Amino acid sequence: MTANSATDGDSALNAARRAHELALLGDETDIDVLVIGGGVTGAGAALDAAARGLRTVLVERQDLAFGTSRWSSKLVHGGLRYLASGQVGIAHESAVERGILIGTTAPHLVRALPQLVPLLPGIGPARSTLIRAGFVAGDVLRRAAGTPAAILPRSRRVATAEALRLAPTVRRDGLRGGLQAWDGQLVDDARLVVALARTAAATGATVLTRVEALAVEGNSATLRDTLTGESMTVRPRTVINATGVWADQVDPSIELRPSRGTHLVFDAKSFGGLTAALTVPIPGTTSRFVFAFPAAHGRVYLGLTDEDAPGPVPDEPQPTDAEIGFLLDTINTALREPLTRADIRGTYAGLRPLLKTADNSTADISRQHAVLRSPTGVITIVGGKLTTYRQMAEDAVDAAVTHGGLTAGPCRTKRLPLVGAVSGAARDRIAAPPILVERYGSEAPAVLAAAQDNSAALDQVAPGIDVTTAEFAFGITHEGALDTDDLLDRRTRIGLVAADRAAALPAAQAAFAQVRG
């Protein structure tokens, strides 16, 4: 089996296409927009620009979703927390963008997830009323955003038996039922980024990983292929800096104040078949919670912290011991049998690219995004959050069009489905195993086809890991994976658990040998 060539499929990203398009780029003199950064905002900006008819190039020095975009909670929030703190505009924007994702652009990657606040003795009538009022306000946000209750049901109070069905390990003593609301959950955040990048490629954008941008100005940049060391200079009409927490390295005129969000990874059995986001108020606060929610590969993720993270920005942030203890202590207030550090199978942390403000804690800094223009003309997009990536990208491209004097069509991304988008009866008719449909939507048959020469296509990559060899092959031939790290850590999330990663590494190596052979 051989990898697809650059012309075998408009959305297919692979090593052959990368080499072909990188070679062509050296002679190109007609680039409208250079996007730097292959996270959710950069990929979204590349798609937006290309869909407007602009000649677009996206470069990423590592891999798609290498930075903050793979370290999120994998939730598509409706903005309830921001409403509670008076940030009505951000809350409404979040609800609108959630509706676009779950209803139009990525119904195959986003699903409705119940959120349960168990009414335990520590939550008195006053606080219960406050939480319930917040959930009702969330219903109002949902309706204002045009998202029907058929997609995200209305909030309600549930009886004790229902609360225990949703979260079987919750304390029973003193439990008075629970409050339930609904939000969106991504199959995976990195999968969303890959889908955006592939859709951008299908729309005409050049998407290049392992290419870093140096000496960046508003209409020029030196691009270096990190695999070969070769460099070239390009002169785009505009440059969008979407490098997240590294944005100040491209545009030194801005100053960021990153905050760290930490999650813990558990086996699903530690939570006894959890089917909702178990949401536990943080003592001493009125609008902050930690939550445990079911995730891919038979896991549960527990988060979230919000801690100031000054200093140099690492490629892979690490949780602190205090953050791990805080998450365990908070969730254990709601559990019958407390979890211990021995139950933790993995951890991860991400940095939010917040603009530096006064002396407020990062927990209180607005998540409003900002589009800035540097003295050299670079357009920088920072702030915001994963849910609102599409609006952030639209605003950044609007600024690029204005400042670059570009001729472009209107933004199309509100109604532009991503590769694999499918829902309803069409989804039910897809001829592929359900687990592949859940991850790839309408592309599930193509995942099988990518491994058609491999009789073990549906074999697990390692015992007890629900990823198939076909998915590894598809990651290489269609999703731009260039090495085993890309497969294990971003095309799948096997790598969040070190033991699983080690078990699946031989299958990842074999997949590359099969494709290249």
Side-chain angles (χ1 to χ4, degrees):
M1 177 168 53
T2 59
N4 291 29
S5 73
T7 59
D8 277 348
D10 287 342
S11 71
L13 298 176
N14 48 54
R17 179 169 182 165
R18 176 188 180 276
H20 176 73
E21 293 192 336
L22 192 55
L24 292 178
L25 190 62
D27 298 323
E28 187 159 358
T29 59
D30 194 29
I31 300 171
D32 292 314
V33 181
L34 172 66
V35 179
I36 304 172
V40 69
T41 307
L47 173 56
D48 189 311
R52 298 191 198 200
L54 298 171
R55 176 66 185 108
T56 305
V57 176
L58 167 69
V59 296
E60 159 59 48
R61 68 174 179 175
Q62 301 279 3
D63 182 32
L64 297 171
F66 183 85
T68 302
S69 293
R70 64 170 158 147
W71 303 129
S72 79
S73 297
K74 288 77 173 141
L75 298 179
V76 179
H77 286 296
L80 188 56
R81 173 180 169 186
Y82 310 108
L83 191 65
S85 58
Q87 301 178 64
V88 178
I90 302 176
H92 177 69
E93 180 179 85
S94 297
V96 169
E97 293 302 322
R98 177 186 63 185
I100 292 171
L101 268 167
I102 199 169
T104 303
T105 59
H108 60 312
L109 297 178
V110 187
R111 61 202 57 178
L113 176 72
Q115 175 183 355
L116 175 73
V117 179
L119 294 176
L120 291 161
I123 300 178
R127 191 163 199 188
S128 173
T129 299
L130 183 63
I131 295 170
R132 176 68 181 129
F135 282 177
V136 171
D139 291 338
V140 174
L141 272 178
R142 174 188 56 76
R143 289 195 298 269
T147 305
I151 293 179
L152 290 176
R154 291 184 291 272
S155 63
R156 63 190 181 108
R157 181 163 180 164
V158 299
T160 299
E162 177 70 359
L164 291 171
R165 184 187 68 80
L166 293 168
T169 57
V170 164
R171 294 178 185 268
R172 296 172 184 260
D173 293 343
L175 181 64
R176 313 185 310 277
L179 299 176
Q180 184 190 67
W182 292 77
D183 222 330
Q185 181 182 27
L186 281 164
V187 171
D188 183 63
D189 45 9
R191 294 213 61 76
L192 174 63
V193 177
V194 171
L196 284 164
R198 291 183 56 214
T199 309
T203 312
T206 295
V207 177
L208 300 170
T209 59
R210 296 339 192 265
V211 174
E212 65 177 338
L214 307 169
V216 179
E217 296 190 356
N219 57 6
S220 70
T222 298
L223 304 182
R224 189 179 80 89
D225 181 351
T226 65
L227 299 182
T228 66
E230 296 180 359
S231 298
M232 70 180 75
T233 297
V234 294
R235 301 196 180 279
R237 294 179 178 86
T238 57
V239 175
I240 295 176
N241 170 23
T243 54
V245 288
W246 295 277
D248 54 358
Q249 296 179 18
V250 177
D251 177 4
S253 69
I254 65 172
E255 191 170 1
L256 298 179
R257 184 180 178 178
S259 77
R260 184 173 53 250
T262 288
H263 293 80
L264 311 181
V265 183
F266 296 85
D267 280 330
K269 64 183 179 182
S270 296
F271 284 83
L274 183 69
T275 56
L278 175 57
T279 306
V280 180
I282 296 174
T285 70
T286 59
S287 62
R288 293 191 62 208
F289 303 83
V290 302
F291 39 84
F293 48 94
H297 311 316
R299 299 170 180 170
V300 167
Y301 298 151
L302 169 64
L304 178 68
T305 64
D306 199 335
E307 299 295 330
D308 203 10
V313 176
D315 279 349
E316 295 194 9
Q318 297 299 317
T320 66
D321 186 71
E323 289 170 319
I324 294 171
F326 163 78
L327 291 172
L328 284 174
D329 290 345
T330 304
I331 198 68
N332 281 338
T333 64
L335 301 180
R336 285 198 306 279
E337 296 292 334
L339 295 168
T340 70
R341 291 173 186 257
D343 296 308
I344 299 171
R345 295 210 64 209
T347 64
Y348 67 90
L351 298 179
R352 306 176 183 92
L354 307 179
L355 278 174
K356 188 170 184 178
T357 61
D359 294 330
N360 295 334
S361 74
T362 55
D364 296 323
I365 292 177
S366 170
R367 295 295 191 264
Q368 181 69 52
H369 62 270
V371 178
L372 309 169
R373 188 166 184 257
S374 76
T376 66
V378 173
I379 304 296
T380 295
I381 175 74
V382 288
K385 55 203 185 76
L386 183 145
T387 303
T388 59
Y389 83 88
R390 194 211 60 80
Q391 185 64 58
M392 294 170 65
E394 179 180 345
D395 291 348
V397 176
D398 282 347
V401 169
T402 298
H403 292 297
L406 305 178
T407 301
C411 176
R412 296 175 48 212
T413 53
K414 285 184 180 179
R415 297 172 298 278
L416 185 61
L418 304 185
V419 290
V422 67
S423 60
R427 177 190 175 109
D428 297 337
R429 291 193 296 268
I430 296 173
I435 195 168
L436 294 184
V437 177
E438 289 178 4
R439 294 173 185 164
Y440 299 90
S442 66
E443 289 199 305
V447 175
L448 295 177
Q452 61 185 348
D453 297 334
N454 186 346
S455 60
L458 291 179
D459 286 356
Q460 293 180 333
V461 296
I465 298 176
D466 63 351
V467 174
T468 64
T469 57
E471 292 173 79
F472 275 3
F474 191 76
I476 299 167
T477 60
H478 286 71
E479 296 183 331
L482 298 180
D483 61 24
T484 56
D485 289 351
D486 294 352
L487 285 181
L488 297 169
D489 299 331
R490 289 168 290 276
R491 303 308 178 273
T492 69
R493 305 316 296 275
I494 293 172
L496 288 176
V497 175
D500 290 350
R501 192 184 198 284
L505 178 59
Q509 294 168 332
F512 274 101
Q514 175 81 5
V515 170
R516 290 168 179 164

